[in-house]
């Protein structure tokens, strides 16, 4: 059996059985591998960190997107920074939004994911409400004149490669706030609070410096080997204050089909402590 070593922390590793490697290439920005893993199916690995797998990406992407968009009473304009695999996009376009702009630094990655993950991202890039820009998310946030209801930061890990590090900083979140409407909300994936305590605390504090309401939650992602954390920043709407009936009503009205997220999961997210 061939194994891929998933680095859970600098010390803990997860050995993952590999059926076969499909692509192993270097883009302008990162080492990109697509592998067929015995227990996780087709998977995207960037700079030796598992990013998405066919079997468990749904937990990550439903929980990255729906708590945020359901908390907003009427999300119309969405920004995704990162998310070049198209899976967060798949969840966003389930909502009756008007426009979603996806900004990813790596055009080669986007083209490869369009081809190799279309069965997983459901050709989300083809939706007529989608606009894809290939550039550094930091530069986009600094230059755009657009303003958004919700902003999703679906980047490589805060403990991972250099290319996304600055997009977890307080300065960056302050710039994000400037392109967010008064009642806008942001979410970021924040890696592992358990294995990268200081890194996680830094991301949390950076959001707390910029937003009145900060809410954290997590979900176990088997292929990551840890509970992946998410942090929401908001000045008006509080994701933890929604009632079960409000969440249920918004899901019904928006005809959202999800396989993991629902009104009970939403409430439980903010009642369950993040393991640190
Ligand atoms: N879903 C994955 C996970 O579970 O962590 C992460 C999503 S995706 C694969 C990470 C994306 O962030 C990649 O497509 C990468 O190209 C993008 N990215 C990294 N740094 C970026 C930057 N500075 N600006 C825009 N996109 C960036």
């Amino acid at each position: 059996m061939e194994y891929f070593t998933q680095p859970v922390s600098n010390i803990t590793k997860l050995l993952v059985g590999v059926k076969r490697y499909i692509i192993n290439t270097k883009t302008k920005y990162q080492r990109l591998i697509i592998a067929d893993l015995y227990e996780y199916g087709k998977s995207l690995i960037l700079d030796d960190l598992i990013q998405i797998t066919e079997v468990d990406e749904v937990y990550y992407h439903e929980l990255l997107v729906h708590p945020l968009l359901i908390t907003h009473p009427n999300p119309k304009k969405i920004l995704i920074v990162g998310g070049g695999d198209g899976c967060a996009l798949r969840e966003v376009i389930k909502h009756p939004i008007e426009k979603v702009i996806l900004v990813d630094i790596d055009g080669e990655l986007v083209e490869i994911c369009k081809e190799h993950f279309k069965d997983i991202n459901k050709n989300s890039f083809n939706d007529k409400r989608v606009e894809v820009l290939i550039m550094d998310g930091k530069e986009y946030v600094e230059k755009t004149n657009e303003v958004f209801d919700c902003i999703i930061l679906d980047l490589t890990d805060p403990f991972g490669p250099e290319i996304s590090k600055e997009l977890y900083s307080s300065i960056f979140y302050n710039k994000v706030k400037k392109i967010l409407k008064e009642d806008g909300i942001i979410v970021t994936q924040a890696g592992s609070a358990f294995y990268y305590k200081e890194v996680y605390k830094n991301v949390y504090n950076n959001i707390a410096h910029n937003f009145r309401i900060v809410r954290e939650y997590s979900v176990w992602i088997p292929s990551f080997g840890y509970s992946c954390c998410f942090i929401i920043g908001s000045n008006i709407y509080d994701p933890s204050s929604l009632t079960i009936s409000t969440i249920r009503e918004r899901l019904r009205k928006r005809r959202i089909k999800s396989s993991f997220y629902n009104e009970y999961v939403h409430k439980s997210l903010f009642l369950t402590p993040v393991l640190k």
Side-chain angles (χ1 to χ4, degrees):
M1 169 88 72
E2 169 147 13
Y3 285 97
F4 168 76
T5 303
Q6 163 70 355
V8 177
S9 75
N10 294 327
I11 298 163
T12 300
K13 310 293 175 197
L14 181 67
L15 290 180
V16 179
V18 181
K19 210 178 273 181
R20 69 186 178 100
Y21 285 103
I22 301 165
I23 289 185
N24 186 340
T25 184
K26 188 113 179 59
T27 71
K28 186 179 167 198
Y29 294 99
Q30 44 211 334
R31 163 67 52 196
L32 186 155
I33 293 174
I34 295 182
D36 185 357
L37 303 175
Y38 276 105
E39 291 187 306
Y40 305 100
K42 195 186 278 190
S43 307
L44 175 67
I45 301 168
L46 294 179
D47 288 337
D48 293 328
L49 286 165
I50 291 177
Q51 299 292 311
I52 65 165
T53 83
E54 191 174 349
V55 164
D56 62 12
E57 61 77 22
V58 68
Y59 307 128
Y60 173 97
H61 291 104
E62 286 194 4
L63 291 197
L64 173 72
V65 171
H66 300 308
L68 178 84
L69 263 61
I70 286 293
T71 298
H72 194 292
N74 189 24
K76 289 298 170 203
K77 249 175 93 182
I78 315 297
L79 171 64
I80 300 175
V81 181
D85 48 73
C87 295
L89 198 54
R90 176 197 70 214
E91 295 305 314
V92 166
I93 58 177
K94 287 180 180 176
H95 292 254
I97 56 145
E98 285 167 3
K99 175 125 181 132
V100 50
I101 296 178
L102 183 142
V103 180
D104 199 293
I105 199 168
D106 195 333
E108 293 167 88
L109 175 142
V110 171
E111 291 313 310
I112 289 171
C113 290
K114 274 182 185 172
E115 187 197 334
H116 287 273
F117 286 101
K118 55 171 154 273
D119 44 338
I120 299 174
N121 65 33
K122 307 287 183 228
N123 284 312
S124 58
F125 291 101
N126 297 347
D127 187 290
K128 61 182 184 337
R129 297 167 291 173
V130 175
E131 180 184 353
V132 178
L133 299 173
I134 301 301
M135 64 190 287
D136 186 332
K138 183 169 159 297
E139 192 190 333
Y140 176 81
V141 165
E142 286 164 352
K143 290 187 175 158
T144 185
N145 296 319
E146 303 269 4
V147 276
F148 297 92
D149 295 305
C150 293
I151 296 179
I152 297 166
L153 304 170
D154 183 18
L155 294 155
T156 40
D157 300 293
F159 52 81
E162 280 311 309
I163 51 170
S164 59
K165 277 249 165 61
E166 288 186 69
L167 287 77
Y168 289 95
S169 69
S170 185
I171 294 172
F172 178 71
Y173 294 134
N174 191 268
K175 291 174 182 167
V176 165
K177 197 164 59 172
K178 294 191 169 77
I179 63 168
L180 202 57
K181 291 180 188 166
E182 200 53 40
D183 65 347
I185 324 175
I186 75 158
V187 67
T188 186
Q189 84 99 346
S192 168
F194 183 80
Y195 288 109
Y196 290 93
K197 291 178 180 40
E198 289 313 308
V199 169
Y200 177 82
K201 204 165 83 186
N202 190 36
V203 175
Y204 184 96
N205 291 338
N206 291 343
I207 291 183
H209 288 152
N210 289 283
F211 293 93
R212 186 176 69 82
I213 299 164
V214 191
R215 296 286 180 260
E216 59 182 354
Y217 58 99
S218 63
V219 63
W220 174 254
I221 304 286
S223 62
F224 288 7
Y226 58 80
S227 286
C228 185
C229 298
F230 302 90
I231 304 172
I232 284 182
S234 172
N235 286 319
I236 306 278
Y237 306 120
D238 180 346
S240 66
S241 68
L242 268 65
T243 64
I244 294 257
S245 53
T246 301
I247 302 166
R248 185 183 295 134
E249 180 52 17
R250 288 182 182 175
L251 284 169
R252 187 194 61 76
K253 241 172 87 187
R254 299 182 197 180
R255 298 200 178 94
I256 305 291
K257 293 260 171 294
S258 53
S259 54
F260 182 68
Y261 173 83
N262 61 37
E263 59 272 30
Y264 301 106
V265 168
H266 181 114
K267 287 305 283 180
S268 72
L269 293 175
F270 302 102
L271 296 170
T272 310
V274 164
L275 297 185
K276 292 173 186 166

